[in-house]
Amino acid sequence: MDKIIAASILSADFTCLGKQLVESEKAGIGWIHFDVMDGHFVPNISFGIPVLASIRGSSKLTFDVHLMISDPARYVNAFRDAGADIITVHVEACSDIQDCLLKIRESGAKVGLSINPGTSVDEGLPYLGEVDLVLFMGVEPGFGGQKFNPQVLEKISTARNAIDAGGFKTLIQVDGGVNLDTAADISMAGCDVFVAGSFIYDHPEGISRATQILREKI
């Protein structure tokens, strides 16, 4: 399978978001990644359902919604109704992981499970056959622009081996610190989907060039 680049709109220019979505699609971006933060599970606040709903009609790309929020099960159906194609929740935020994953599946969205850098990969391994993707945070969630934690590479490799051994089709996604210095190592460890925000939207040569040179690394 071809590697997928998911552009995180947390780093996009919201004064011309529609234009940047069009540019992202033309550049070969596969998914649009939404980092939803509540100021409780993580110390920052981003955006939510109204933003997702308002731009759903502007793009045919996969909308990949990453819920960095407390009690995510409460909001699954609302995000799905707003246009989420994939909904990812954190093992650290779910009081009942099985129930939360089931709610996402029943909503009709694809199911993702995220693991923070400080959480053991073992917390996610039992669910690899039940989810469509497992997301490894390359940085502590909440703020963009952090450096990738190299200890996460071993977790990616462990999950890759478990997925292959189990014959699962689960994708591995990495969010945080993905750039030209880290992308090749992340890819070699077994990543399928690369979330890039500031690298894509703040690149001096524009979205298309940033996407091209990142793809050359993965």
Side-chain angles (χ1 to χ4, degrees):
M1 188 196 78
D2 291 339
K3 305 282 186 173
I4 297 168
I5 296 176
S8 173
I9 65 163
L10 188 62
S11 299
D13 183 349
F14 275 65
T15 64
C16 57
L17 185 54
K19 178 184 175 183
Q20 290 199 329
L21 285 174
V22 172
E23 290 180 16
S24 299
E25 190 166 352
K26 289 181 178 178
I29 296 293
W31 297 359
I32 298 297
H33 187 83
F34 293 78
D35 283 312
V36 179
M37 298 182 281
D38 63 357
H40 184 259
F41 177 66
V42 292
N44 206 348
I45 296 174
S46 59
F47 42 68
I49 293 163
V51 170
L52 176 65
S54 69
I55 62 175
R56 177 67 273 187
S58 301
S59 176
K60 295 180 181 179
L61 294 176
T62 296
F63 276 18
D64 171 34
V65 177
H66 177 194
L67 298 182
M68 291 184 276
I69 64 176
S70 299
D71 195 14
R74 289 179 57 195
Y75 303 96
V76 164
N77 288 329
F79 275 101
R80 174 58 176 165
D81 290 344
D85 297 302
I86 304 167
I87 297 176
T88 297
V89 296
H90 275 258
V91 295
E92 303 89 355
C94 297
S95 56
D96 185 333
I97 296 174
Q98 201 84 49
D99 179 67
C100 197
L101 299 181
L102 180 60
K103 277 186 168 61
I104 299 173
R105 184 70 69 195
E106 289 178 342
S107 79
K110 290 189 175 180
V111 184
L113 187 64
S114 184
I115 300 173
N116 284 340
T119 300
S120 170
V121 67
D122 293 341
E123 296 294 321
L125 294 181
Y127 306 100
L128 289 180
E130 302 177 37
V131 300
D132 296 291
L133 71 85
V134 57
L135 166 57
F136 289 99
M137 292 299 299
V139 301
E140 290 298 326
F143 297 96
Q146 299 179 64
K147 291 185 177 180
F148 180 78
N149 183 341
Q151 295 180 346
V152 176
L153 293 173
E154 184 176 350
K155 295 181 181 182
I156 299 168
S157 296
T158 298
R160 176 83 277 155
N161 291 336
I163 289 168
D164 292 345
F168 306 133
K169 296 182 179 179
T170 313
L171 298 177
I172 294 177
Q173 183 180 57
V174 174
D175 181 8
V178 176
N179 54 43
L180 295 186
D181 296 326
T182 61
D185 287 341
I186 294 171
S187 182
M188 286 290 292
C191 181
D192 303 295
V193 184
F194 300 74
V195 179
S198 54
F199 181 80
I200 295 291
Y201 291 116
D202 295 339
H203 197 279
E205 296 181 72
I207 294 171
S208 182
R209 178 59 179 158
T211 304
Q212 177 188 2
I213 59 179
L214 182 60
R215 188 167 295 284
E216 290 171 354
K217 290 288 185 178
I218 61 177

